[in-house]
């Protein structure tokens, strides 16, 4: 993951993640084979006012069997 400060109030992050999944089975019946995937992460942080920061992040993980995407928002206040 690489973080980059655009200015004193905004930061960007970009990254690459690797996930490995073992095979899934129930009672020796194969549900999904083992595999791996390469995913991407993008995010932004914005300091709304001193001690109050807003973060938005997204992860994209395409695989041959499914796509696992997520989006998160967070509001952080420093005490």
């Amino acid at each position: 993951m690489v973080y980059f400060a655009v200015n004193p109030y905004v930061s960007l992050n970009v990254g690459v993640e690797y996930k490995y999944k073992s095979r899934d089975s129930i009672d020796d019946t194969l549900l999904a084979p083992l595999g791996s995937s390469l995913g991407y992460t993008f995010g932004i942080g914005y300091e709304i006012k001193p001690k109050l920061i807003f973060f938005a992040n997204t992860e994209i993980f395409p695989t041959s069997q499914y796509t696992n995407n997520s989006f998160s928002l967070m509001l952080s206040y420093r005490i």
Side-chain angles (χ1 to χ4, degrees):
M1 178 107 28
V2 176
Y3 292 91
F4 178 75
V6 177
N7 60 38
Y9 307 105
V10 178
S11 65
L12 301 174
N13 63 47
V14 176
V16 176
E17 290 187 48
Y18 175 79
K19 288 187 181 181
Y20 176 80
K21 185 186 87 48
S22 61
R23 70 183 208 128
D24 293 332
S25 61
I26 295 177
D27 296 329
D28 294 329
T29 303
L30 182 64
L31 298 175
L34 62 89
S36 61
S37 62
L38 193 62
Y40 307 99
T41 304
F42 306 99
I44 187 168
Y46 177 70
E47 185 174 6
I48 298 169
K49 62 181 187 176
K51 299 184 180 182
L52 185 62
I53 304 171
F54 173 75
F55 296 100
N57 292 307
T58 185
E59 292 181 350
I60 302 167
F61 280 98
T63 67
S64 61
Q65 297 176 340
Y66 61 90
T67 300
N68 182 13
N69 299 332
S70 68
F71 182 73
S72 64
L73 300 174
M74 183 174 71
L75 191 60
S76 174
Y77 182 75
R78 288 184 267 169
I79 297 175

